[in-house]
Amino acid sequence: MKPTNIDNPEYFHKVIDCQYACPAHTPVPEYIRMISQGKYDEAFKINWISNVFPGVLGRICDRPCEPACRRSRVEENPVAICRLKRVAADFKSPGADFLPEVPAEKNGKRIALIGGGPASLTVARDLLPLGYTVDLYDNQKKAGGFIRTQVPSFRLPEKVLNEEVDRILDMGVNTHLNCQVDSLKKIVDLGYDAIFVGTGAPRGRDLPDLPGRSEGGDAIHIGIDWLAAVLYRHVIRSGPKVLVLGGGNTSMDCCRTAKRLDAEEVTVVVRSPKADMKASPWEIEDAEEEGIPIIDNHAPLEFVIDSGKLVGMHFQKMTAETDGSGNRRLVPTTEPPVFMPCDQVLLAVGQVNAFPFIEPELGIKMTERGLPELDPTTHQSSIPNIFFGGDAAFGPKNVITAVAHGHQAAISIDLFCRGQDLHDRPAPSTNLVSQKMGLQDLLYDSRVATDHRYAVPTVDRAKSLKNRLLEVELGFSKKTGHQEASRCLNCDVQTIFDFSTCIECDSCVDICPESCITFTDNGDEEDLRTRLLAPSDNKQQALYISPALPTGRVMVKDENVCLHCGLCAERCPTSSWEMMKFTYNCPTAGEK
Amino acid sequence: MSTDRPSFRHPQAARNTAGFTRKDYEGAISTLCAGCGHDSATNAIIQACFELAIEPHRVAKMSGIGCSSKTPAYFLGRSHGFNSVHGRMPSVATGANMANRDLLYIGISGDGDTASIGMGQFAHALRRNLNLNYICMNNGCYGLTKGQDSATADRGSAGKKGVPNPYSAIDLCELAIELGASYVARGFSGDKQQLVPLIKGAFAHSGLAFIDIISPCVTFNNTATSTKSYEYVREHIEATNTFDFIPLQQEILAHYPEGTSQEVVMHDGSIIHLHKTDAGRDVTNRRKAVDSLEEEKAKGRLLTGLLYVNQNIMETHDIINSTLRPLNSLTEADLCPGNTALQKINAGLR
């Protein structure tokens, strides 16, 4: 193998598993370190710059960082990254001196944002400090989009959402709320320099062809519309016996909300096996802990109507089969249909994009899936000054992806308005700083804590089930937050190897608790992985290879389970190993 | 400075046939200087014990005084140990060995502990062919007292102080062959590929197995003018032969073309396969073994590898015909012949 090029910023970025997995590439270990030092303001600021909604995401993020966390390869559970984000938001001081300055004098460019969700708000946040005039259009009375209408208050209190949304609006967004954009052409005709469409995937999927659907009438609801109706208090009670269809997070929100609206019995019914459910494991867990059974492998057959009233549903039992080419599919069993009584059904079987306001004559090219044709990097549509982001761009994803889209779209809009090449994008800013302090100390806490993941305390269940506005999770205390933060392995502190001073004494090999380091003859990757001291079968994780040493061997470090404990550097007599903190910050609009 | 190692180990860390992982053979974190050769030697011992699936509680570690003699704290934390007086490791090892011949004895010593203050003890342990694995971590200097030349420092070699050593060096391997050791080897802490099999061979051997490990002192004796620096040793190293150590339990899979290898069957049934590089080198012949050492020395080379092995010399217990059982298992019935026997003896003396 060729020696690793550590000058490539993506090499060490990839070693920071959490940051790499995050769509917005939030510098996770750095803010966790700030939390462990009690610097909540700094931790919050790092988050706010990167992911815009720390208080919201600290509660409802899909957390792609956590499955990626190196800690989960070393012990059972990853660091509770998401909940630590909330710690930063909970304990920061009330001041907002981290906000960038918004120039009083505008640059003369006007931007329209359609939809007031996280993607649009991110674009606003990024463009306002550059002097852009930003107009935001949303059909609700308050901005926030689906994180306002879909996410129940017991998971995300309105106060938290308002604080984070208003922080951006107060930077100087011209809001046009309660304003349904029914014609994009009208907006285009207003002569904006650029238009950003962040209207999400607003339509809940229905089961229109299922027998009994029309007769079922108002006992059958589309999940996301029902959740919005609950928020606006159009719905204040639920039926006594509720079936929730679907296995995603919306389904979990529906069933838990119904439980809080006095439903006596709530049951979730899923077509596929439980292991294939789309909902996040912790959402499933929370629903089950509230006493909501989840019945898997049951496909809906019909709504059963008796004298004009919904009385239950029939389901076909399914089983998952693997065909010859390894594809799994669901097939009905021969068992007779199963009847489940109910008087209300909530459909949470998926969301679809819809752009009824986009007139065909505008000439925005759409794909077969009904999504706009976009440049995946720039988010530019076939009309050069119209950009898409969030769920409206590539279909339903999650909040943190919408934020990442917002950042990219803002960069594109800025480049576009300045007449520059949209593909000549600003590079990430990186830095590598030695952590050596004196002879034998390190600037970071290199001790590896053995603590297991701490559970977040919750309110009394009986109380929370009576009040849909009462947040279930209480969040970590400062003390528990500190303890959980100390579980972080500091993956941003990199092990840098200087082959030119190595005397091949083996000290690093001998001390490494995870046997990451091997000195051996070079070979191709497949061959090398078989010859390392410890099994090396996680090919997602890179091998760090040095140029040839005086004995002709090379140093090979498998990054997979490195604890970043710094012992290799501590035991190296020639400082050929050095611990250096690698900072990787994504570019934002206006940078070059 | 770290006072302990993280407790995590590789999630797929292998287990040996006794069910132990390598961690079960580790000790406390080393307090020696960063880069000390002794730490590598220590890890070679850990590796050998792990690979041979030795049960940690069946091992006793003995040592004297010195940097090397501190190392028993850094390996086999679950074994028996005795850190004795300077140069007196062989006495303590002899006593323990006499009391219980069933344990595996690892004696750790250094060049000062062996070639100076403990020379008399060393000589007699060799002469009696005590069943002991005598490992000497040899760095040519007194690291614990600021790096003075030791008795194994080569003439003309200069450490950090810069003054060349005026005296001639003691070659511990030649001495060991001369004085009756039945297994003599030399390794280099920077080459575990060779060192681990040497240690495994020693463990399988019955009788005194002496391993001289050239183990550089990074702090005082790793200079360009020293003959015991990492760089000098790497440049001047010469191996007698390469060999495979095949433990008793393991099926022999390798095939050796006739005449290319020499087979030595150890007491426990393990086999050492020596790959012949030079027909003139016969490690079972004492005179040739000493000749080889002298020849390479004349060429300015340092001979390493298995230097001499003789399976026919009896170990101490066999020489003195002592009991096969550990003394702590002997009961009064075993030890006291009884009144009838006493009467008989008395009658014979009348």
mmCIF file of all heavy atoms in Angstrom, chain A residues 10-39:
data_model
loop_
_atom_site.group_PDB
_atom_site.id
_atom_site.type_symbol
_atom_site.label_atom_id
_atom_site.label_comp_id
_atom_site.label_asym_id
_atom_site.label_seq_id
_atom_site.Cartn_x
_atom_site.Cartn_y
_atom_site.Cartn_z
ATOM 1 N N GLU A 10 -9.760 14.769 4.327
ATOM 2 C CA GLU A 10 -10.787 13.754 4.550
ATOM 3 C C GLU A 10 -10.255 12.540 5.310
ATOM 4 O O GLU A 10 -11.024 11.762 5.851
ATOM 5 C CB GLU A 10 -11.409 13.314 3.219
ATOM 6 C CG GLU A 10 -12.254 14.393 2.558
ATOM 7 C CD GLU A 10 -13.322 14.983 3.475
ATOM 8 O OE1 GLU A 10 -14.045 14.211 4.118
ATOM 9 O OE2 GLU A 10 -13.413 16.237 3.564
ATOM 10 N N TYR A 11 -8.901 12.345 5.330
ATOM 11 C CA TYR A 11 -8.387 11.155 6.018
ATOM 12 C C TYR A 11 -8.726 11.197 7.512
ATOM 13 O O TYR A 11 -9.368 10.300 8.052
ATOM 14 C CB TYR A 11 -6.884 10.953 5.806
ATOM 15 C CG TYR A 11 -6.431 9.709 6.536
ATOM 16 C CD1 TYR A 11 -6.741 8.454 6.021
ATOM 17 C CD2 TYR A 11 -5.832 9.778 7.785
ATOM 18 C CE1 TYR A 11 -6.425 7.295 6.718
ATOM 19 C CE2 TYR A 11 -5.513 8.633 8.494
ATOM 20 C CZ TYR A 11 -5.807 7.396 7.950
ATOM 21 O OH TYR A 11 -5.518 6.251 8.642
ATOM 22 N N PHE A 12 -8.293 12.257 8.179
ATOM 23 C CA PHE A 12 -8.569 12.324 9.620
ATOM 24 C C PHE A 12 -10.034 12.638 9.900
ATOM 25 O O PHE A 12 -10.568 12.267 10.944
ATOM 26 C CB PHE A 12 -7.647 13.326 10.308
ATOM 27 C CG PHE A 12 -6.251 12.812 10.478
ATOM 28 C CD1 PHE A 12 -5.148 13.613 10.205
ATOM 29 C CD2 PHE A 12 -6.021 11.507 10.908
ATOM 30 C CE1 PHE A 12 -3.860 13.125 10.359
ATOM 31 C CE2 PHE A 12 -4.736 11.014 11.064
ATOM 32 C CZ PHE A 12 -3.655 11.829 10.788
ATOM 33 N N HIS A 13 -10.690 13.323 8.945
ATOM 34 C CA HIS A 13 -12.122 13.566 9.121
ATOM 35 C C HIS A 13 -12.852 12.228 9.274
ATOM 36 O O HIS A 13 -13.709 12.058 10.132
ATOM 37 C CB HIS A 13 -12.666 14.330 7.898
ATOM 38 C CG HIS A 13 -14.114 14.688 8.003
ATOM 39 N ND1 HIS A 13 -14.895 14.932 6.912
ATOM 40 C CD2 HIS A 13 -14.927 14.822 9.076
ATOM 41 C CE1 HIS A 13 -16.131 15.202 7.306
ATOM 42 N NE2 HIS A 13 -16.174 15.146 8.619
ATOM 43 N N LYS A 14 -12.441 11.256 8.482
ATOM 44 C CA LYS A 14 -13.085 9.945 8.512
ATOM 45 C C LYS A 14 -12.803 9.215 9.831
ATOM 46 O O LYS A 14 -13.615 8.407 10.282
ATOM 47 C CB LYS A 14 -12.575 9.124 7.326
ATOM 48 C CG LYS A 14 -13.418 7.928 6.989
ATOM 49 C CD LYS A 14 -13.079 7.427 5.588
ATOM 50 C CE LYS A 14 -13.878 6.196 5.237
ATOM 51 N NZ LYS A 14 -13.480 5.022 6.040
ATOM 52 N N VAL A 15 -11.659 9.524 10.430
ATOM 53 C CA VAL A 15 -11.346 8.881 11.719
ATOM 54 C C VAL A 15 -12.304 9.381 12.811
ATOM 55 O O VAL A 15 -12.614 8.667 13.752
ATOM 56 C CB VAL A 15 -9.872 9.157 12.106
ATOM 57 C CG1 VAL A 15 -9.574 8.613 13.499
ATOM 58 C CG2 VAL A 15 -8.937 8.541 11.077
ATOM 59 N N ILE A 16 -12.779 10.624 12.659
ATOM 60 C CA ILE A 16 -13.748 11.167 13.627
ATOM 61 C C ILE A 16 -15.114 10.661 13.189
ATOM 62 O O ILE A 16 -15.890 11.346 12.528
ATOM 63 C CB ILE A 16 -13.703 12.708 13.651
ATOM 64 C CG1 ILE A 16 -12.251 13.214 13.677
ATOM 65 C CG2 ILE A 16 -14.465 13.251 14.859
ATOM 66 C CD1 ILE A 16 -12.107 14.703 13.513
ATOM 67 N N ASP A 17 -15.418 9.412 13.551
ATOM 68 C CA ASP A 17 -16.592 8.710 13.012
ATOM 69 C C ASP A 17 -17.891 9.502 13.132
ATOM 70 O O ASP A 17 -18.678 9.552 12.191
ATOM 71 C CB ASP A 17 -16.778 7.375 13.745
ATOM 72 C CG ASP A 17 -15.651 6.406 13.438
ATOM 73 O OD1 ASP A 17 -15.550 5.979 12.287
ATOM 74 O OD2 ASP A 17 -14.872 6.091 14.347
ATOM 75 N N CYS A 18 -18.114 10.103 14.309
ATOM 76 C CA CYS A 18 -19.374 10.804 14.548
ATOM 77 C C CYS A 18 -19.510 12.004 13.618
ATOM 78 O O CYS A 18 -20.533 12.207 12.992
ATOM 79 C CB CYS A 18 -19.429 11.258 16.007
ATOM 80 S SG CYS A 18 -17.899 12.021 16.573
ATOM 81 N N GLN A 19 -18.423 12.782 13.535
ATOM 82 C CA GLN A 19 -18.472 13.990 12.708
ATOM 83 C C GLN A 19 -18.641 13.631 11.236
ATOM 84 O O GLN A 19 -19.373 14.287 10.498
ATOM 85 C CB GLN A 19 -17.185 14.811 12.897
ATOM 86 C CG GLN A 19 -17.230 16.137 12.149
ATOM 87 C CD GLN A 19 -16.015 17.019 12.401
ATOM 88 O OE1 GLN A 19 -15.056 16.612 13.035
ATOM 89 N NE2 GLN A 19 -16.069 18.232 11.897
ATOM 90 N N TYR A 20 -17.966 12.562 10.841
ATOM 91 C CA TYR A 20 -18.028 12.126 9.441
ATOM 92 C C TYR A 20 -19.436 11.643 9.099
ATOM 93 O O TYR A 20 -19.948 11.887 8.006
ATOM 94 C CB TYR A 20 -17.004 11.009 9.232
ATOM 95 C CG TYR A 20 -16.787 10.631 7.784
ATOM 96 C CD1 TYR A 20 -16.091 11.479 6.927
ATOM 97 C CD2 TYR A 20 -17.255 9.428 7.274
ATOM 98 C CE1 TYR A 20 -15.870 11.139 5.609
ATOM 99 C CE2 TYR A 20 -17.040 9.072 5.951
ATOM 100 C CZ TYR A 20 -16.338 9.941 5.125
ATOM 101 O OH TYR A 20 -16.133 9.601 3.824
ATOM 102 N N ALA A 21 -20.080 10.949 10.051
ATOM 103 C CA ALA A 21 -21.415 10.405 9.787
ATOM 104 C C ALA A 21 -22.479 11.488 9.812
ATOM 105 O O ALA A 21 -23.539 11.339 9.213
ATOM 106 C CB ALA A 21 -21.753 9.331 10.828
ATOM 107 N N CYS A 22 -22.228 12.589 10.502
ATOM 108 C CA CYS A 22 -23.221 13.658 10.614
ATOM 109 C C CYS A 22 -23.350 14.374 9.273
ATOM 110 O O CYS A 22 -22.351 14.822 8.727
ATOM 111 C CB CYS A 22 -22.791 14.654 11.690
ATOM 112 S SG CYS A 22 -23.889 16.081 11.808
ATOM 113 N N PRO A 23 -24.576 14.502 8.748
ATOM 114 C CA PRO A 23 -24.719 15.202 7.466
ATOM 115 C C PRO A 23 -24.164 16.628 7.522
ATOM 116 O O PRO A 23 -23.638 17.125 6.532
ATOM 117 C CB PRO A 23 -26.227 15.205 7.238
ATOM 118 C CG PRO A 23 -26.745 14.050 8.021
ATOM 119 C CD PRO A 23 -25.850 13.953 9.224
ATOM 120 N N ALA A 24 -24.291 17.289 8.686
ATOM 121 C CA ALA A 24 -23.787 18.656 8.810
ATOM 122 C C ALA A 24 -22.341 18.684 9.309
ATOM 123 O O ALA A 24 -21.761 19.749 9.460
ATOM 124 C CB ALA A 24 -24.669 19.463 9.745
ATOM 125 N N HIS A 25 -21.769 17.527 9.552
ATOM 126 C CA HIS A 25 -20.384 17.382 10.027
ATOM 127 C C HIS A 25 -20.089 18.257 11.241
ATOM 128 O O HIS A 25 -19.101 18.986 11.292
ATOM 129 C CB HIS A 25 -19.391 17.652 8.896
ATOM 130 C CG HIS A 25 -19.596 16.753 7.711
ATOM 131 N ND1 HIS A 25 -19.667 15.383 7.823
ATOM 132 C CD2 HIS A 25 -19.772 17.034 6.397
ATOM 133 C CE1 HIS A 25 -19.881 14.854 6.633
ATOM 134 N NE2 HIS A 25 -19.956 15.826 5.741
ATOM 135 N N THR A 26 -20.952 18.172 12.238
ATOM 136 C CA THR A 26 -20.736 18.887 13.499
ATOM 137 C C THR A 26 -19.499 18.336 14.200
ATOM 138 O O THR A 26 -19.351 17.113 14.297
ATOM 139 C CB THR A 26 -21.967 18.706 14.418
ATOM 140 O OG1 THR A 26 -23.109 19.197 13.738
ATOM 141 C CG2 THR A 26 -21.788 19.437 15.735
ATOM 142 N N PRO A 27 -18.606 19.216 14.672
ATOM 143 C CA PRO A 27 -17.404 18.733 15.388
ATOM 144 C C PRO A 27 -17.774 18.173 16.761
ATOM 145 O O PRO A 27 -17.593 18.825 17.776
ATOM 146 C CB PRO A 27 -16.518 19.971 15.511
ATOM 147 C CG PRO A 27 -17.162 21.027 14.680
ATOM 148 C CD PRO A 27 -18.606 20.677 14.540
ATOM 149 N N VAL A 28 -18.269 16.958 16.776
ATOM 150 C CA VAL A 28 -18.831 16.358 17.988
ATOM 151 C C VAL A 28 -17.827 16.267 19.147
ATOM 152 O O VAL A 28 -18.098 16.757 20.243
ATOM 153 C CB VAL A 28 -19.450 14.973 17.680
ATOM 154 C CG1 VAL A 28 -19.961 14.316 18.949
ATOM 155 C CG2 VAL A 28 -20.557 15.101 16.648
ATOM 156 N N PRO A 29 -16.646 15.635 18.935
ATOM 157 C CA PRO A 29 -15.755 15.472 20.104
ATOM 158 C C PRO A 29 -15.377 16.805 20.736
ATOM 159 O O PRO A 29 -15.221 16.889 21.947
ATOM 160 C CB PRO A 29 -14.518 14.789 19.516
ATOM 161 C CG PRO A 29 -14.977 14.174 18.244
ATOM 162 C CD PRO A 29 -16.059 15.068 17.723
ATOM 163 N N GLU A 30 -15.268 17.850 19.912
ATOM 164 C CA GLU A 30 -14.879 19.154 20.453
ATOM 165 C C GLU A 30 -15.976 19.706 21.376
ATOM 166 O O GLU A 30 -15.691 20.178 22.470
ATOM 167 C CB GLU A 30 -14.588 20.121 19.301
ATOM 168 C CG GLU A 30 -14.171 21.514 19.731
ATOM 169 C CD GLU A 30 -12.811 21.569 20.425
ATOM 170 O OE1 GLU A 30 -12.073 20.555 20.404
ATOM 171 O OE2 GLU A 30 -12.490 22.636 20.993
ATOM 172 N N TYR A 31 -17.241 19.584 20.965
ATOM 173 C CA TYR A 31 -18.267 20.148 21.854
ATOM 174 C C TYR A 31 -18.482 19.265 23.072
ATOM 175 O O TYR A 31 -18.793 19.760 24.171
ATOM 176 C CB TYR A 31 -19.563 20.492 21.104
ATOM 177 C CG TYR A 31 -20.605 19.424 20.858
ATOM 178 C CD1 TYR A 31 -21.352 18.857 21.901
ATOM 179 C CD2 TYR A 31 -20.891 19.018 19.561
ATOM 180 C CE1 TYR A 31 -22.332 17.911 21.649
ATOM 181 C CE2 TYR A 31 -21.876 18.072 19.294
ATOM 182 C CZ TYR A 31 -22.591 17.513 20.347
ATOM 183 O OH TYR A 31 -23.554 16.586 20.095
ATOM 184 N N ILE A 32 -18.263 17.959 22.919
ATOM 185 C CA ILE A 32 -18.374 17.088 24.092
ATOM 186 C C ILE A 32 -17.277 17.440 25.101
ATOM 187 O O ILE A 32 -17.493 17.466 26.312
ATOM 188 C CB ILE A 32 -18.320 15.601 23.677
ATOM 189 C CG1 ILE A 32 -19.596 15.244 22.904
ATOM 190 C CG2 ILE A 32 -18.140 14.694 24.893
ATOM 191 C CD1 ILE A 32 -19.710 13.797 22.515
ATOM 192 N N ARG A 33 -16.082 17.755 24.573
ATOM 193 C CA ARG A 33 -14.981 18.153 25.458
ATOM 194 C C ARG A 33 -15.341 19.436 26.202
ATOM 195 O O ARG A 33 -15.067 19.584 27.400
ATOM 196 C CB ARG A 33 -13.710 18.349 24.610
ATOM 197 C CG ARG A 33 -12.435 18.429 25.426
ATOM 198 C CD ARG A 33 -11.204 18.420 24.529
ATOM 199 N NE ARG A 33 -11.198 17.251 23.672
ATOM 200 C CZ ARG A 33 -11.197 17.289 22.340
ATOM 201 N NH1 ARG A 33 -11.182 18.429 21.709
ATOM 202 N NH2 ARG A 33 -11.206 16.188 21.640
ATOM 203 N N MET A 34 -15.971 20.360 25.483
ATOM 204 C CA MET A 34 -16.392 21.614 26.123
ATOM 205 C C MET A 34 -17.388 21.325 27.257
ATOM 206 O O MET A 34 -17.305 21.909 28.328
ATOM 207 C CB MET A 34 -17.050 22.549 25.095
ATOM 208 C CG MET A 34 -16.109 23.095 24.048
ATOM 209 S SD MET A 34 -14.831 24.105 24.782
ATOM 210 C CE MET A 34 -13.380 23.336 24.142
ATOM 211 N N ILE A 35 -18.310 20.389 27.004
ATOM 212 C CA ILE A 35 -19.287 20.041 28.039
ATOM 213 C C ILE A 35 -18.572 19.462 29.259
ATOM 214 O O ILE A 35 -18.845 19.828 30.400
ATOM 215 C CB ILE A 35 -20.328 19.040 27.488
ATOM 216 C CG1 ILE A 35 -21.222 19.741 26.476
ATOM 217 C CG2 ILE A 35 -21.161 18.438 28.621
ATOM 218 C CD1 ILE A 35 -22.127 18.816 25.700
ATOM 219 N N SER A 36 -17.599 18.584 29.014
ATOM 220 C CA SER A 36 -16.920 17.959 30.154
ATOM 221 C C SER A 36 -16.121 18.997 30.928
ATOM 222 O O SER A 36 -15.788 18.784 32.080
ATOM 223 C CB SER A 36 -16.040 16.796 29.687
ATOM 224 O OG SER A 36 -14.941 17.285 28.971
ATOM 225 N N GLN A 37 -15.806 20.121 30.291
ATOM 226 C CA GLN A 37 -15.102 21.192 31.011
ATOM 227 C C GLN A 37 -16.074 22.228 31.564
ATOM 228 O O GLN A 37 -15.662 23.272 32.066
ATOM 229 C CB GLN A 37 -14.097 21.869 30.064
ATOM 230 C CG GLN A 37 -12.972 20.938 29.630
ATOM 231 C CD GLN A 37 -12.107 21.526 28.522
ATOM 232 O OE1 GLN A 37 -12.248 22.690 28.158
ATOM 233 N NE2 GLN A 37 -11.212 20.725 27.983
ATOM 234 N N GLY A 38 -17.373 21.967 31.400
ATOM 235 C CA GLY A 38 -18.373 22.896 31.910
ATOM 236 C C GLY A 38 -18.544 24.137 31.044
ATOM 237 O O GLY A 38 -19.177 25.103 31.459
ATOM 238 N N LYS A 39 -17.965 24.118 29.843
ATOM 239 C CA LYS A 39 -18.077 25.296 28.975
ATOM 240 C C LYS A 39 -19.284 25.113 28.052
ATOM 241 O O LYS A 39 -19.145 24.808 26.869
ATOM 242 C CB LYS A 39 -16.796 25.473 28.162
ATOM 243 C CG LYS A 39 -15.576 25.736 29.011
ATOM 244 C CD LYS A 39 -14.321 25.802 28.150
ATOM 245 C CE LYS A 39 -13.087 26.071 28.986
ATOM 246 N NZ LYS A 39 -11.857 25.802 28.228
#
